Amino acid sequence: MNQQMAKAHREALMARMNGGVAIFRAGPERIRNRDTHYRFRPDSDFWYLTGLREPDAVAVLIPDAVKDSYVLFVRPRDPEMETWNGRRTGVEGAKELYGADAAYPIAALDTELPKLLRGASRLHFTTGHDSDFDRKLLGWLHEMFMRTRDGVTGPPELVEAGVALHELRLFKSSEEIAALRRCAELTNRGHRAAMSAVREGCGEWELEALIDGAFRAGGGWGVGYPSIVAAGANATVLHYNTNNERVGKGSCLLVDAGAECDGYTADVTRCAPASGRFSAPQRALYEIVLASQLAGIAAALPGRSFVSVHDTSTRVLIEGLISLGLLTGSVEEALASGSYKRFYMHRTSHWLGLDVHDVGTYFITAADGSKQSRPLQPGMVLTVEPGLYVNADDEAAPAAFRGIGIRIEDDVLVTAEGNDVLTKDIPKSIADVEALHGGAADTSGASAASHAGSSASAMSAGHARLGARA
């Protein structure tokens, strides 16, 4: 997040605020255990507006201010503490390096921030992230209201800060898209490393190390969320991330992992057979999911509703489930009853950006007052990630399918012309995935895997091969 970007973000937000004062926090360091902290990562809203990667900082925006419209509270320079924990920006650095009009040490928050709130028409703030800070803020406001006889007034209106800010974050600038492309490049390296290395008997944790290591080795911040490396029946657990079991014989590996770069993250899922070849049941489910995903991507077009991606993908999944005998009846009956949710229990898409489940509303209010799925527009980035999961204990399912989980996920940028799959270089056709097994992982990010899906005839052939085993 360079300072030119952060400044543009601040100016865009202040133009939307309709006056008042906005407060954003970087967040505190968090204890992992005893006196060991988690590696600090700033709150995404704060990072978007400041580009400052330090804990305990507070940013204040005052669009109607005569002089200081951007104020930062930061930790002061401290040679002794910096010897232990690294250099701090300090008050002068907040102005010189991060463009603040005014800056104060964080210890001055109790005295200086209430002054900035006096007379404001409204306060833009998001509660619930830090109860201690929330209590302090409410205390300052209460004190101001108790001093009305002295002519002291505080903001009478509290506005959720995300109302204006998150709409801005939903639409990515060219610089943000470049950061997401970098995330995709490193994610490509990590997934290729895992697909090349997976073997029956290897540890999920070993593959996780390869993936996460590729992200850091390529210059990324690390992972955008804990990597899911799930072999066999573990792949039917949607957010499995203990990654502490060995890959069983004949298992299919599901990896859901994304690199974080400059605060932005990718979010990609791929599956690969530990033996180097998908079994007939694995292939049958994989072909259905791939066909569903490609249909969903094709539906992610400007003007189409967000929910249409899910609806399109789900219909393809249901058709495939019926063809395999995992569901009975018609597609319409399955949709009406929800019977398909036994095998597909999540949504197909979510926004992507600074957060893996990024901000932005999914519904808009129509002229008649009803809520409608919002239309996709250029600059939006979303995932497309259908899946099928057959629980190992599902005695009603054919035995051949039990314990198989398949998900395929890509990151899609909506453009004026259609869409651009940012993660298209990560192999996902059956031929490309199987060909990568046992080979040297391409960590350059230069080789592009085929993005074409299986044809309908290939899908049918896969189902026929399954035959009586289903």
Side-chain angles (χ1 to χ4, degrees), residues 254-266:
L254 184 152
V255 172
D256 187 336
E260 185 176 42
C261 301
D262 203 24
Y264 293 83
T265 185

Side-chain angles (χ1 to χ4, degrees), residues 315 317-340 342-343:
R315 281 186 169 274
L317 289 179
I318 294 172
E319 289 169 358
L321 289 169
I322 292 171
S323 73
L324 292 180
L326 286 164
L327 286 180
T328 58
S330 68
V331 173
E332 299 304 327
E333 289 170 340
L335 286 169
S337 67
S339 60
Y340 68 91
R342 174 177 152 208
F343 305 110

Side-chain angles (χ1 to χ4, degrees), residues 190-352:
H191 276 274
R192 285 175 177 267
M195 283 190 275
S196 298
V198 63
R199 294 291 186 280
E200 295 172 344
C202 74
E204 293 170 339
W205 64 91
E206 295 174 292
L207 302 171
E208 179 185 17
L210 288 174
I211 295 162
D212 297 0
F215 297 167
R216 287 291 284 155
W221 284 12
V223 297
Y225 54 94
S227 296
I228 296 170
V229 184
N234 292 337
T236 66
V237 180
L238 300 184
H239 288 164
Y240 171 87
N241 60 22
T242 49
N243 306 340
N244 61 359
E245 296 187 18
R246 292 197 177 274
V247 178
K249 183 176 177 60
S251 290
C252 185
L253 179 78
L254 184 152
V255 172
D256 187 336
E260 185 176 42
C261 301
D262 203 24
Y264 293 83
T265 185
D267 184 8
V268 174
T269 307
R270 291 292 188 267
C271 296
S275 67
R277 294 292 180 269
F278 288 100
S279 68
Q282 292 166 354
R283 177 182 289 265
L285 292 180
Y286 191 99
E287 287 177 336
I288 293 170
V289 174
L290 181 56
S292 168
Q293 201 234 11
L294 293 173
I297 290 173
L301 300 173
R304 296 284 297 272
S305 68
F306 177 86
V307 76
S308 67
V309 177
H310 175 74
D311 291 345
T312 300
S313 295
T314 302
R315 281 186 169 274
V316 177
L317 289 179
I318 294 172
E319 289 169 358
L321 289 169
I322 292 171
S323 73
L324 292 180
L326 286 164
L327 286 180
T328 58
S330 68
V331 173
E332 299 304 327
E333 289 170 340
L335 286 169
S337 67
S339 60
Y340 68 91
K341 294 180 181 179
R342 174 177 152 208
F343 305 110
Y344 181 47
M345 59 292 295
H346 60 80
R347 304 294 289 182
T348 304
S349 301
H350 56 76
W351 304 131
L352 183 71

